Each structure stands twice: as structure tokens, then as C-alpha cells.
Amino acid sequence: MAELIKDRYSPSFFNQFIKILKSAYPAFDENQFLTFIYNGEWEQLEFKQRIRHITLALRESLPQPYDTSIEILLTIAPKCKGVEYLFFPDFVEVYGLDHWETSIIALEQFTKYSSSEFAVRPFILKDETEMMIQMQQWAFDEDEHIRRLASEGCRPRLPWAPVLTTLKEDPTPILPILKTLKEDPSLYVRKSVANNLNDISKDHPNLLKQIVREWRGKHPHTDWILKHASRSLLKKGDVEILQLFGYTSAANIGVQNFTLSCDQLSLGETLTFSFDIITESIESQNLRIEYGIDFMKANGKQTRKIFHLSQKTYPSGTTHLTREHVFKNLTTRKHYEGVHGICILVNGEEKVKDEFNLIMK
């Protein structure tokens, strides 16, 4: 079984962290800290809950003046890298809202070693105008982690974080930051810009289309961002966004010989399917090919999930395609027994569909 991310907080992790912490603050009471950590609730806590629990334990064990605690954490931060150390910026989120200048410096530094994308959001909620000015400044920083924070921290729909309601309703304050970063040399930053724009597209699809029209074709980095940012609209088969990326009507495209490896399978098994793409035009055609699975849900209804299969220029004639899909439970998807649908979409248009039965062993 794969390791759960919450289990990275092992006794060996805490022993190493305490060693690092005591190098900067020898008076640190490790017994008090560990007693607080391993209370009666620790085993039931999930990853983000454990982050907050460690934050609270640190507050009990570090010097009470906030500035003093932050100074200690800043000293050891370069030795504390990785997602496990998200409790550094979380400490700022919980205790630093009334210490603006100190906290901004801390968020800027901590994001280099873990990420301040969650911790920055309460500061946006407290003073959106001032914080967005700060994030615009971060967008020009030499460090890619700080530039990414400028984009990631203000995503309206950042996963694992509360929605930024005002920016969700009106993303205008975000746009100068994204414009600054639209040609960023770092893929790490460009992914964040694309994810931010994808968030925006879910509430303001026409705004994303406008941005695609204005930005596209001027820089390869920007073109990559725009394509990735448009993935939700592309999966929905939005005709306008498909056309903006050169995916015209698939009326002259056929799908034949759609075959499933079985009509019934068990959870944990793999469904193999194949089909032929028939391009009737004498010219090659730019095609986005996807498959959709209509998953049976607990309420007895089906919900479709779209999966990318191919996007490239297809020649005239017949092209054979084969794909496998493994049916196993994920943290983001639980399977239920019953009839499932599977379809093939070309440039957003459903071309063929079949059904199969999923059973639980």
C-alpha cells in the first residue's frame, strides 16, 4: 500500500526536526512539544489537520513573542524543505495577521522551501488591496517560488483552500499578476498561471476566451499556458474555445469499429477499448480526441468524466487507436457497481458510445 502523505510525520521526522530546531533555539522543550503532538487525537488527524496541530504545538513550545518565534523559524527554514514543512507558513497564517510586515517577509521566505499558497489567503481576505499589490511585486521576483506564490496564492478556487469569493466574482485584480507572468521562463510558474486562468474560466468563460484572443500567438510559453488554462472548457466541448485552438467541426470525421475488451469487469481490472478514426477530408485535420466514462454514482445516476486521449494532426484515411483504463478507487474517485457508459469524442463531439457493467468482488 502506498504511503499516505500524513504518515510522513513519523517519529523519525520529528526527531530530525527537533534536532534542527534546537540548533537555533537550544531551550526548545522537546518533551512538551512531543506530548502535545501525540495527544489522543493525533492518529485520527488527516494531513492538513496535522499541519495545524503541529502549528499549535510549536506555539506552545517556542518563545511567545511572535517576532521571536518567526526569527527562529526563518533561521532554520533552509534546512526544512518539502511539503512536510507546510506548518512553517501555517504558523504565519494562524498567528501573524496582526504582524503584517513580519509576516510578509516570512511568507516570502517560507514559500521557497515548502509553499505559502494557503497561508497567504487570510491576508488577502483581511486586506485584498494591499495584499494584491504585494503579490504583484512578488511577480517580478528573481526566485521562481516567490513568483509562483504571486499566482498560486490568489487562485480563486485553489484546492484544499477556502474560495476567495470576491476574486471569484471579479477576477480583475488577478489579471495584472498573470499578465506579468505569462511568458515566465519557469514551467513551475507557468503551470500556476494556467491553473489560475482555468479557475477563472469556470466562472467567467468569456473572459478566458478574450484573454486567449489577446495573448495567443505571441510567445510559445504563453501559448502553452493558454492551452493548459483552457482544459476545462475544451473538455466541455465549448465550440468557441475549440475553434480558437484550431479544432473545427468534426462533421467529416467518423469513428468506426469501436470495440471493448469485455462487457463486464471487476473493480481493479482493466478495460481495453479500440476504434478507428476515419478522416474523410483529403487534407490532414487537427483533432482533439477524448474518451468519456459515465461513472455510476451512489445515487444510481451516472456522472461523466472526460479523459484526454490524443491531440494532433491526423492524415486523411483511417487511424487505429487503442487505450486502456484501469478501474480502481482513488482518493478523488470511488467506484460503484452498475452499468457504466463509455464514449469517444472528437473535437468535443460525441461520435460513438457503448456500455459495460462494473461489479465489486
Side-chain angles (χ1 to χ4, degrees), residues 28-60:
F28 183 74
D29 189 336
E30 61 183 281
N31 291 328
Q32 178 187 5
F33 176 72
L34 290 174
T35 298
F36 192 106
I37 291 293
Y38 293 115
N39 66 358
E41 300 179 358
W42 173 255
E43 291 300 324
Q44 286 71 48
L45 299 179
E46 297 302 326
F47 179 59
K48 284 208 73 179
Q49 293 172 318
R50 289 188 174 189
I51 291 172
R52 180 56 54 86
H53 188 67
I54 297 168
T55 293
L56 300 178
L58 279 175
R59 187 57 170 161
E60 292 296 317

PDB file of all heavy atoms in Angstrom, residues 28-60:
ATOM      1  N   PHE A  28      14.510  24.797  23.434  1.00  0.00           N
ATOM      2  CA  PHE A  28      13.267  24.170  22.976  1.00  0.00           C
ATOM      3  C   PHE A  28      12.966  22.924  23.794  1.00  0.00           C
ATOM      4  O   PHE A  28      13.819  22.039  23.953  1.00  0.00           O
ATOM      5  CB  PHE A  28      13.378  23.803  21.497  1.00  0.00           C
ATOM      6  CG  PHE A  28      12.132  23.222  20.905  1.00  0.00           C
ATOM      7  CD1 PHE A  28      11.039  24.022  20.628  1.00  0.00           C
ATOM      8  CD2 PHE A  28      12.045  21.858  20.616  1.00  0.00           C
ATOM      9  CE1 PHE A  28       9.884  23.481  20.070  1.00  0.00           C
ATOM     10  CE2 PHE A  28      10.898  21.310  20.061  1.00  0.00           C
ATOM     11  CZ  PHE A  28       9.817  22.140  19.794  1.00  0.00           C
ATOM     12  N   ASP A  29      11.761  22.841  24.326  1.00  0.00           N
ATOM     13  CA  ASP A  29      11.343  21.727  25.178  1.00  0.00           C
ATOM     14  C   ASP A  29      10.728  20.638  24.305  1.00  0.00           C
ATOM     15  O   ASP A  29       9.538  20.663  23.989  1.00  0.00           O
ATOM     16  CB  ASP A  29      10.337  22.224  26.219  1.00  0.00           C
ATOM     17  CG  ASP A  29      10.025  21.176  27.276  1.00  0.00           C
ATOM     18  OD1 ASP A  29      10.202  19.969  26.988  1.00  0.00           O
ATOM     19  OD2 ASP A  29       9.596  21.556  28.379  1.00  0.00           O
ATOM     20  N   GLU A  30      11.547  19.659  23.925  1.00  0.00           N
ATOM     21  CA  GLU A  30      11.069  18.627  23.008  1.00  0.00           C
ATOM     22  C   GLU A  30      10.021  17.724  23.653  1.00  0.00           C
ATOM     23  O   GLU A  30       9.099  17.255  22.971  1.00  0.00           O
ATOM     24  CB  GLU A  30      12.230  17.795  22.489  1.00  0.00           C
ATOM     25  CG  GLU A  30      13.017  17.043  23.536  1.00  0.00           C
ATOM     26  CD  GLU A  30      14.189  16.306  22.914  1.00  0.00           C
ATOM     27  OE1 GLU A  30      13.950  15.228  22.335  1.00  0.00           O
ATOM     28  OE2 GLU A  30      15.317  16.821  23.002  1.00  0.00           O
ATOM     29  N   ASN A  31      10.123  17.491  24.954  1.00  0.00           N
ATOM     30  CA  ASN A  31       9.136  16.648  25.628  1.00  0.00           C
ATOM     31  C   ASN A  31       7.763  17.303  25.619  1.00  0.00           C
ATOM     32  O   ASN A  31       6.747  16.647  25.372  1.00  0.00           O
ATOM     33  CB  ASN A  31       9.585  16.365  27.070  1.00  0.00           C
ATOM     34  CG  ASN A  31      10.791  15.457  27.122  1.00  0.00           C
ATOM     35  OD1 ASN A  31      10.965  14.593  26.257  1.00  0.00           O
ATOM     36  ND2 ASN A  31      11.644  15.661  28.112  1.00  0.00           N
ATOM     37  N   GLN A  32       7.734  18.604  25.883  1.00  0.00           N
ATOM     38  CA  GLN A  32       6.462  19.324  25.832  1.00  0.00           C
ATOM     39  C   GLN A  32       5.885  19.290  24.418  1.00  0.00           C
ATOM     40  O   GLN A  32       4.685  19.058  24.229  1.00  0.00           O
ATOM     41  CB  GLN A  32       6.670  20.774  26.280  1.00  0.00           C
ATOM     42  CG  GLN A  32       5.401  21.621  26.223  1.00  0.00           C
ATOM     43  CD  GLN A  32       5.670  23.090  26.518  1.00  0.00           C
ATOM     44  OE1 GLN A  32       6.812  23.507  26.669  1.00  0.00           O
ATOM     45  NE2 GLN A  32       4.613  23.880  26.601  1.00  0.00           N
ATOM     46  N   PHE A  33       6.737  19.494  23.435  1.00  0.00           N
ATOM     47  CA  PHE A  33       6.314  19.504  22.035  1.00  0.00           C
ATOM     48  C   PHE A  33       5.733  18.144  21.633  1.00  0.00           C
ATOM     49  O   PHE A  33       4.630  18.068  21.069  1.00  0.00           O
ATOM     50  CB  PHE A  33       7.505  19.870  21.155  1.00  0.00           C
ATOM     51  CG  PHE A  33       7.229  19.824  19.676  1.00  0.00           C
ATOM     52  CD1 PHE A  33       6.435  20.793  19.071  1.00  0.00           C
ATOM     53  CD2 PHE A  33       7.768  18.819  18.879  1.00  0.00           C
ATOM     54  CE1 PHE A  33       6.189  20.754  17.698  1.00  0.00           C
ATOM     55  CE2 PHE A  33       7.529  18.776  17.516  1.00  0.00           C
ATOM     56  CZ  PHE A  33       6.737  19.747  16.931  1.00  0.00           C
ATOM     57  N   LEU A  34       6.448  17.073  21.921  1.00  0.00           N
ATOM     58  CA  LEU A  34       6.002  15.743  21.513  1.00  0.00           C
ATOM     59  C   LEU A  34       4.764  15.296  22.283  1.00  0.00           C
ATOM     60  O   LEU A  34       3.899  14.595  21.731  1.00  0.00           O
ATOM     61  CB  LEU A  34       7.136  14.741  21.693  1.00  0.00           C
ATOM     62  CG  LEU A  34       8.304  14.909  20.721  1.00  0.00           C
ATOM     63  CD1 LEU A  34       9.440  13.958  21.081  1.00  0.00           C
ATOM     64  CD2 LEU A  34       7.861  14.695  19.280  1.00  0.00           C
ATOM     65  N   THR A  35       4.672  15.681  23.563  1.00  0.00           N
ATOM     66  CA  THR A  35       3.471  15.359  24.341  1.00  0.00           C
ATOM     67  C   THR A  35       2.252  16.021  23.720  1.00  0.00           C
ATOM     68  O   THR A  35       1.163  15.427  23.645  1.00  0.00           O
ATOM     69  CB  THR A  35       3.644  15.815  25.798  1.00  0.00           C
ATOM     70  OG1 THR A  35       4.739  15.112  26.381  1.00  0.00           O
ATOM     71  CG2 THR A  35       2.379  15.529  26.603  1.00  0.00           C
ATOM     72  N   PHE A  36       2.417  17.264  23.270  1.00  0.00           N
ATOM     73  CA  PHE A  36       1.322  17.985  22.603  1.00  0.00           C
ATOM     74  C   PHE A  36       0.965  17.298  21.285  1.00  0.00           C
ATOM     75  O   PHE A  36      -0.216  17.126  20.966  1.00  0.00           O
ATOM     76  CB  PHE A  36       1.730  19.437  22.353  1.00  0.00           C
ATOM     77  CG  PHE A  36       0.592  20.322  21.942  1.00  0.00           C
ATOM     78  CD1 PHE A  36       0.059  21.243  22.830  1.00  0.00           C
ATOM     79  CD2 PHE A  36       0.035  20.248  20.667  1.00  0.00           C
ATOM     80  CE1 PHE A  36      -0.996  22.066  22.453  1.00  0.00           C
ATOM     81  CE2 PHE A  36      -1.006  21.069  20.279  1.00  0.00           C
ATOM     82  CZ  PHE A  36      -1.533  21.975  21.183  1.00  0.00           C
ATOM     83  N   ILE A  37       2.001  16.911  20.514  1.00  0.00           N
ATOM     84  CA  ILE A  37       1.758  16.273  19.217  1.00  0.00           C
ATOM     85  C   ILE A  37       0.971  14.982  19.388  1.00  0.00           C
ATOM     86  O   ILE A  37      -0.076  14.778  18.775  1.00  0.00           O
ATOM     87  CB  ILE A  37       3.091  15.977  18.491  1.00  0.00           C
ATOM     88  CG1 ILE A  37       3.773  17.279  18.043  1.00  0.00           C
ATOM     89  CG2 ILE A  37       2.849  15.057  17.279  1.00  0.00           C
ATOM     90  CD1 ILE A  37       3.048  18.032  16.966  1.00  0.00           C
ATOM     91  N   TYR A  38       1.490  14.092  20.223  1.00  0.00           N
ATOM     92  CA  TYR A  38       0.893  12.759  20.338  1.00  0.00           C
ATOM     93  C   TYR A  38      -0.191  12.732  21.404  1.00  0.00           C
ATOM     94  O   TYR A  38      -0.130  11.969  22.375  1.00  0.00           O
ATOM     95  CB  TYR A  38       1.981  11.730  20.626  1.00  0.00           C
ATOM     96  CG  TYR A  38       2.927  11.542  19.459  1.00  0.00           C
ATOM     97  CD1 TYR A  38       4.267  11.897  19.566  1.00  0.00           C
ATOM     98  CD2 TYR A  38       2.477  11.029  18.250  1.00  0.00           C
ATOM     99  CE1 TYR A  38       5.141  11.737  18.495  1.00  0.00           C
ATOM    100  CE2 TYR A  38       3.337  10.867  17.170  1.00  0.00           C
ATOM    101  CZ  TYR A  38       4.670  11.218  17.302  1.00  0.00           C
ATOM    102  OH  TYR A  38       5.523  11.053  16.234  1.00  0.00           O
ATOM    103  N   ASN A  39      -1.187  13.557  21.200  1.00  0.00           N
ATOM    104  CA  ASN A  39      -2.345  13.526  22.094  1.00  0.00           C
ATOM    105  C   ASN A  39      -3.301  12.425  21.628  1.00  0.00           C
ATOM    106  O   ASN A  39      -3.000  11.667  20.708  1.00  0.00           O
ATOM    107  CB  ASN A  39      -3.039  14.889  22.132  1.00  0.00           C
ATOM    108  CG  ASN A  39      -3.658  15.255  20.788  1.00  0.00           C
ATOM    109  OD1 ASN A  39      -3.550  14.526  19.800  1.00  0.00           O
ATOM    110  ND2 ASN A  39      -4.309  16.386  20.739  1.00  0.00           N
ATOM    111  N   GLY A  40      -4.438  12.348  22.215  1.00  0.00           N
ATOM    112  CA  GLY A  40      -5.358  11.270  21.884  1.00  0.00           C
ATOM    113  C   GLY A  40      -5.968  11.359  20.500  1.00  0.00           C
ATOM    114  O   GLY A  40      -6.559  10.385  20.029  1.00  0.00           O
ATOM    115  N   GLU A  41      -5.822  12.495  19.820  1.00  0.00           N
ATOM    116  CA  GLU A  41      -6.467  12.696  18.525  1.00  0.00           C
ATOM    117  C   GLU A  41      -5.521  12.538  17.343  1.00  0.00           C
ATOM    118  O   GLU A  41      -5.971  12.509  16.198  1.00  0.00           O
ATOM    119  CB  GLU A  41      -7.103  14.091  18.474  1.00  0.00           C
ATOM    120  CG  GLU A  41      -8.175  14.323  19.537  1.00  0.00           C
ATOM    121  CD  GLU A  41      -8.755  15.724  19.467  1.00  0.00           C
ATOM    122  OE1 GLU A  41      -8.275  16.509  18.618  1.00  0.00           O
ATOM    123  OE2 GLU A  41      -9.661  16.036  20.245  1.00  0.00           O
ATOM    124  N   TRP A  42      -4.212  12.485  17.580  1.00  0.00           N
ATOM    125  CA  TRP A  42      -3.225  12.537  16.500  1.00  0.00           C
ATOM    126  C   TRP A  42      -3.480  11.499  15.410  1.00  0.00           C
ATOM    127  O   TRP A  42      -3.437  11.815  14.215  1.00  0.00           O
ATOM    128  CB  TRP A  42      -1.819  12.367  17.070  1.00  0.00           C
ATOM    129  CG  TRP A  42      -0.741  12.248  16.029  1.00  0.00           C
ATOM    130  CD1 TRP A  42      -0.080  11.130  15.644  1.00  0.00           C
ATOM    131  CD2 TRP A  42      -0.209  13.314  15.217  1.00  0.00           C
ATOM    132  NE1 TRP A  42       0.833  11.410  14.661  1.00  0.00           N
ATOM    133  CE2 TRP A  42       0.772  12.751  14.375  1.00  0.00           C
ATOM    134  CE3 TRP A  42      -0.469  14.680  15.122  1.00  0.00           C
ATOM    135  CZ2 TRP A  42       1.503  13.504  13.459  1.00  0.00           C
ATOM    136  CZ3 TRP A  42       0.264  15.437  14.204  1.00  0.00           C
ATOM    137  CH2 TRP A  42       1.224  14.854  13.382  1.00  0.00           C
ATOM    138  N   GLU A  43      -3.747  10.256  15.791  1.00  0.00           N
ATOM    139  CA  GLU A  43      -3.896   9.187  14.804  1.00  0.00           C
ATOM    140  C   GLU A  43      -5.085   9.409  13.881  1.00  0.00           C
ATOM    141  O   GLU A  43      -5.085   8.936  12.736  1.00  0.00           O
ATOM    142  CB  GLU A  43      -4.029   7.833  15.506  1.00  0.00           C
ATOM    143  CG  GLU A  43      -2.763   7.367  16.198  1.00  0.00           C
ATOM    144  CD  GLU A  43      -1.596   7.212  15.231  1.00  0.00           C
ATOM    145  OE1 GLU A  43      -1.849   6.799  14.074  1.00  0.00           O
ATOM    146  OE2 GLU A  43      -0.460   7.499  15.621  1.00  0.00           O
ATOM    147  N   GLN A  44      -6.097  10.135  14.337  1.00  0.00           N
ATOM    148  CA  GLN A  44      -7.297  10.361  13.515  1.00  0.00           C
ATOM    149  C   GLN A  44      -7.168  11.579  12.601  1.00  0.00           C
ATOM    150  O   GLN A  44      -8.006  11.789  11.715  1.00  0.00           O
ATOM    151  CB  GLN A  44      -8.524  10.549  14.421  1.00  0.00           C
ATOM    152  CG  GLN A  44      -9.037   9.261  15.062  1.00  0.00           C
ATOM    153  CD  GLN A  44      -8.121   8.726  16.135  1.00  0.00           C
ATOM    154  OE1 GLN A  44      -7.690   9.488  17.006  1.00  0.00           O
ATOM    155  NE2 GLN A  44      -7.818   7.442  16.084  1.00  0.00           N
ATOM    156  N   LEU A  45      -6.140  12.378  12.788  1.00  0.00           N
ATOM    157  CA  LEU A  45      -5.996  13.611  12.016  1.00  0.00           C
ATOM    158  C   LEU A  45      -5.490  13.337  10.603  1.00  0.00           C
ATOM    159  O   LEU A  45      -4.586  12.524  10.402  1.00  0.00           O
ATOM    160  CB  LEU A  45      -5.032  14.580  12.714  1.00  0.00           C
ATOM    161  CG  LEU A  45      -5.427  15.048  14.120  1.00  0.00           C
ATOM    162  CD1 LEU A  45      -4.357  15.984  14.682  1.00  0.00           C
ATOM    163  CD2 LEU A  45      -6.784  15.749  14.102  1.00  0.00           C
ATOM    164  N   GLU A  46      -6.081  14.026   9.614  1.00  0.00           N
ATOM    165  CA  GLU A  46      -5.600  13.947   8.240  1.00  0.00           C
ATOM    166  C   GLU A  46      -4.463  14.946   8.034  1.00  0.00           C
ATOM    167  O   GLU A  46      -4.083  15.675   8.948  1.00  0.00           O
ATOM    168  CB  GLU A  46      -6.751  14.211   7.262  1.00  0.00           C
ATOM    169  CG  GLU A  46      -7.864  13.169   7.344  1.00  0.00           C
ATOM    170  CD  GLU A  46      -7.374  11.758   7.083  1.00  0.00           C
ATOM    171  OE1 GLU A  46      -6.449  11.593   6.252  1.00  0.00           O
ATOM    172  OE2 GLU A  46      -7.905  10.821   7.705  1.00  0.00           O
ATOM    173  N   PHE A  47      -3.928  14.985   6.816  1.00  0.00           N
ATOM    174  CA  PHE A  47      -2.692  15.734   6.563  1.00  0.00           C
ATOM    175  C   PHE A  47      -2.788  17.206   6.960  1.00  0.00           C
ATOM    176  O   PHE A  47      -1.982  17.712   7.742  1.00  0.00           O
ATOM    177  CB  PHE A  47      -2.308  15.602   5.093  1.00  0.00           C
ATOM    178  CG  PHE A  47      -1.062  16.366   4.713  1.00  0.00           C
ATOM    179  CD1 PHE A  47       0.146  16.091   5.343  1.00  0.00           C
ATOM    180  CD2 PHE A  47      -1.100  17.358   3.743  1.00  0.00           C
ATOM    181  CE1 PHE A  47       1.296  16.796   5.009  1.00  0.00           C
ATOM    182  CE2 PHE A  47       0.037  18.053   3.398  1.00  0.00           C
ATOM    183  CZ  PHE A  47       1.237  17.777   4.027  1.00  0.00           C
ATOM    184  N   LYS A  48      -3.793  17.906   6.437  1.00  0.00           N
ATOM    185  CA  LYS A  48      -3.894  19.340   6.751  1.00  0.00           C
ATOM    186  C   LYS A  48      -4.215  19.566   8.223  1.00  0.00           C
ATOM    187  O   LYS A  48      -3.787  20.569   8.808  1.00  0.00           O
ATOM    188  CB  LYS A  48      -4.945  20.010   5.861  1.00  0.00           C
ATOM    189  CG  LYS A  48      -4.471  20.244   4.428  1.00  0.00           C
ATOM    190  CD  LYS A  48      -5.156  21.442   3.795  1.00  0.00           C
ATOM    191  CE  LYS A  48      -4.660  22.746   4.351  1.00  0.00           C
ATOM    192  NZ  LYS A  48      -5.296  23.918   3.718  1.00  0.00           N
ATOM    193  N   GLN A  49      -4.955  18.656   8.813  1.00  0.00           N
ATOM    194  CA  GLN A  49      -5.232  18.774  10.246  1.00  0.00           C
ATOM    195  C   GLN A  49      -3.954  18.582  11.060  1.00  0.00           C
ATOM    196  O   GLN A  49      -3.751  19.250  12.083  1.00  0.00           O
ATOM    197  CB  GLN A  49      -6.277  17.745  10.656  1.00  0.00           C
ATOM    198  CG  GLN A  49      -7.654  17.982  10.057  1.00  0.00           C
ATOM    199  CD  GLN A  49      -8.602  16.843  10.332  1.00  0.00           C
ATOM    200  OE1 GLN A  49      -8.243  15.659  10.244  1.00  0.00           O
ATOM    201  NE2 GLN A  49      -9.838  17.169  10.671  1.00  0.00           N
ATOM    202  N   ARG A  50      -3.089  17.712  10.600  1.00  0.00           N
ATOM    203  CA  ARG A  50      -1.816  17.505  11.293  1.00  0.00           C
ATOM    204  C   ARG A  50      -0.913  18.734  11.164  1.00  0.00           C
ATOM    205  O   ARG A  50      -0.195  19.090  12.108  1.00  0.00           O
ATOM    206  CB  ARG A  50      -1.113  16.253  10.762  1.00  0.00           C
ATOM    207  CG  ARG A  50      -1.813  14.969  11.179  1.00  0.00           C
ATOM    208  CD  ARG A  50      -1.033  13.716  10.836  1.00  0.00           C
ATOM    209  NE  ARG A  50      -1.710  12.543  11.395  1.00  0.00           N
ATOM    210  CZ  ARG A  50      -1.199  11.320  11.419  1.00  0.00           C
ATOM    211  NH1 ARG A  50       0.004  11.083  10.903  1.00  0.00           N
ATOM    212  NH2 ARG A  50      -1.873  10.323  11.959  1.00  0.00           N
ATOM    213  N   ILE A  51      -0.957  19.380  10.004  1.00  0.00           N
ATOM    214  CA  ILE A  51      -0.195  20.621   9.838  1.00  0.00           C
ATOM    215  C   ILE A  51      -0.623  21.633  10.893  1.00  0.00           C
ATOM    216  O   ILE A  51       0.219  22.226  11.588  1.00  0.00           O
ATOM    217  CB  ILE A  51      -0.412  21.199   8.421  1.00  0.00           C
ATOM    218  CG1 ILE A  51       0.243  20.310   7.372  1.00  0.00           C
ATOM    219  CG2 ILE A  51       0.136  22.633   8.330  1.00  0.00           C
ATOM    220  CD1 ILE A  51      -0.091  20.697   5.952  1.00  0.00           C
ATOM    221  N   ARG A  52      -1.919  21.826  11.034  1.00  0.00           N
ATOM    222  CA  ARG A  52      -2.419  22.797  12.010  1.00  0.00           C
ATOM    223  C   ARG A  52      -2.075  22.358  13.441  1.00  0.00           C
ATOM    224  O   ARG A  52      -1.730  23.205  14.289  1.00  0.00           O
ATOM    225  CB  ARG A  52      -3.916  22.977  11.833  1.00  0.00           C
ATOM    226  CG  ARG A  52      -4.576  23.975  12.789  1.00  0.00           C
ATOM    227  CD  ARG A  52      -3.923  25.379  12.735  1.00  0.00           C
ATOM    228  NE  ARG A  52      -3.845  25.943  11.418  1.00  0.00           N
ATOM    229  CZ  ARG A  52      -4.813  26.641  10.800  1.00  0.00           C
ATOM    230  NH1 ARG A  52      -5.964  26.838  11.428  1.00  0.00           N
ATOM    231  NH2 ARG A  52      -4.629  27.119   9.590  1.00  0.00           N
ATOM    232  N   HIS A  53      -2.147  21.075  13.708  1.00  0.00           N
ATOM    233  CA  HIS A  53      -1.838  20.572  15.045  1.00  0.00           C
ATOM    234  C   HIS A  53      -0.371  20.850  15.398  1.00  0.00           C
ATOM    235  O   HIS A  53      -0.051  21.247  16.533  1.00  0.00           O
ATOM    236  CB  HIS A  53      -2.124  19.078  15.108  1.00  0.00           C
ATOM    237  CG  HIS A  53      -2.018  18.484  16.478  1.00  0.00           C
ATOM    238  ND1 HIS A  53      -2.897  18.791  17.500  1.00  0.00           N
ATOM    239  CD2 HIS A  53      -1.124  17.602  17.007  1.00  0.00           C
ATOM    240  CE1 HIS A  53      -2.554  18.132  18.595  1.00  0.00           C
ATOM    241  NE2 HIS A  53      -1.484  17.399  18.314  1.00  0.00           N
ATOM    242  N   ILE A  54       0.529  20.670  14.429  1.00  0.00           N
ATOM    243  CA  ILE A  54       1.954  20.958  14.663  1.00  0.00           C
ATOM    244  C   ILE A  54       2.160  22.450  14.896  1.00  0.00           C
ATOM    245  O   ILE A  54       2.958  22.863  15.745  1.00  0.00           O
ATOM    246  CB  ILE A  54       2.803  20.463  13.474  1.00  0.00           C
ATOM    247  CG1 ILE A  54       2.677  18.946  13.337  1.00  0.00           C
ATOM    248  CG2 ILE A  54       4.272  20.860  13.658  1.00  0.00           C
ATOM    249  CD1 ILE A  54       3.242  18.393  12.049  1.00  0.00           C
ATOM    250  N   THR A  55       1.430  23.268  14.156  1.00  0.00           N
ATOM    251  CA  THR A  55       1.488  24.718  14.361  1.00  0.00           C
ATOM    252  C   THR A  55       1.139  25.076  15.797  1.00  0.00           C
ATOM    253  O   THR A  55       1.841  25.876  16.449  1.00  0.00           O
ATOM    254  CB  THR A  55       0.520  25.422  13.393  1.00  0.00           C
ATOM    255  OG1 THR A  55       0.988  25.259  12.055  1.00  0.00           O
ATOM    256  CG2 THR A  55       0.407  26.912  13.708  1.00  0.00           C
ATOM    257  N   LEU A  56       0.068  24.498  16.296  1.00  0.00           N
ATOM    258  CA  LEU A  56      -0.357  24.785  17.669  1.00  0.00           C
ATOM    259  C   LEU A  56       0.679  24.300  18.676  1.00  0.00           C
ATOM    260  O   LEU A  56       0.933  24.962  19.693  1.00  0.00           O
ATOM    261  CB  LEU A  56      -1.712  24.131  17.934  1.00  0.00           C
ATOM    262  CG  LEU A  56      -2.870  24.568  17.031  1.00  0.00           C
ATOM    263  CD1 LEU A  56      -4.134  23.786  17.377  1.00  0.00           C
ATOM    264  CD2 LEU A  56      -3.117  26.059  17.145  1.00  0.00           C
ATOM    265  N   ALA A  57       1.284  23.153  18.385  1.00  0.00           N
ATOM    266  CA  ALA A  57       2.315  22.624  19.280  1.00  0.00           C
ATOM    267  C   ALA A  57       3.536  23.541  19.306  1.00  0.00           C
ATOM    268  O   ALA A  57       4.151  23.756  20.357  1.00  0.00           O
ATOM    269  CB  ALA A  57       2.712  21.217  18.841  1.00  0.00           C
ATOM    270  N   LEU A  58       3.901  24.075  18.152  1.00  0.00           N
ATOM    271  CA  LEU A  58       5.038  24.999  18.098  1.00  0.00           C
ATOM    272  C   LEU A  58       4.766  26.258  18.910  1.00  0.00           C
ATOM    273  O   LEU A  58       5.652  26.774  19.591  1.00  0.00           O
ATOM    274  CB  LEU A  58       5.337  25.375  16.635  1.00  0.00           C
ATOM    275  CG  LEU A  58       6.162  24.383  15.821  1.00  0.00           C
ATOM    276  CD1 LEU A  58       6.266  24.856  14.375  1.00  0.00           C
ATOM    277  CD2 LEU A  58       7.556  24.217  16.422  1.00  0.00           C
ATOM    278  N   ARG A  59       3.551  26.753  18.813  1.00  0.00           N
ATOM    279  CA  ARG A  59       3.205  27.964  19.560  1.00  0.00           C
ATOM    280  C   ARG A  59       3.372  27.747  21.060  1.00  0.00           C
ATOM    281  O   ARG A  59       3.782  28.657  21.792  1.00  0.00           O
ATOM    282  CB  ARG A  59       1.768  28.394  19.242  1.00  0.00           C
ATOM    283  CG  ARG A  59       1.373  29.747  19.839  1.00  0.00           C
ATOM    284  CD  ARG A  59       2.316  30.825  19.374  1.00  0.00           C
ATOM    285  NE  ARG A  59       1.846  32.155  19.737  1.00  0.00           N
ATOM    286  CZ  ARG A  59       2.624  33.232  19.775  1.00  0.00           C
ATOM    287  NH1 ARG A  59       3.908  33.126  19.482  1.00  0.00           N
ATOM    288  NH2 ARG A  59       2.125  34.400  20.092  1.00  0.00           N
ATOM    289  N   GLU A  60       3.074  26.551  21.524  1.00  0.00           N
ATOM    290  CA  GLU A  60       3.215  26.240  22.947  1.00  0.00           C
ATOM    291  C   GLU A  60       4.672  26.077  23.360  1.00  0.00           C
ATOM    292  O   GLU A  60       5.010  26.230  24.539  1.00  0.00           O
ATOM    293  CB  GLU A  60       2.449  24.952  23.272  1.00  0.00           C
ATOM    294  CG  GLU A  60       0.942  25.073  23.154  1.00  0.00           C
ATOM    295  CD  GLU A  60       0.370  26.054  24.158  1.00  0.00           C
ATOM    296  OE1 GLU A  60       0.795  26.024  25.333  1.00  0.00           O
ATOM    297  OE2 GLU A  60      -0.501  26.860  23.771  1.00  0.00           O
TER     298      GLU A  60
END
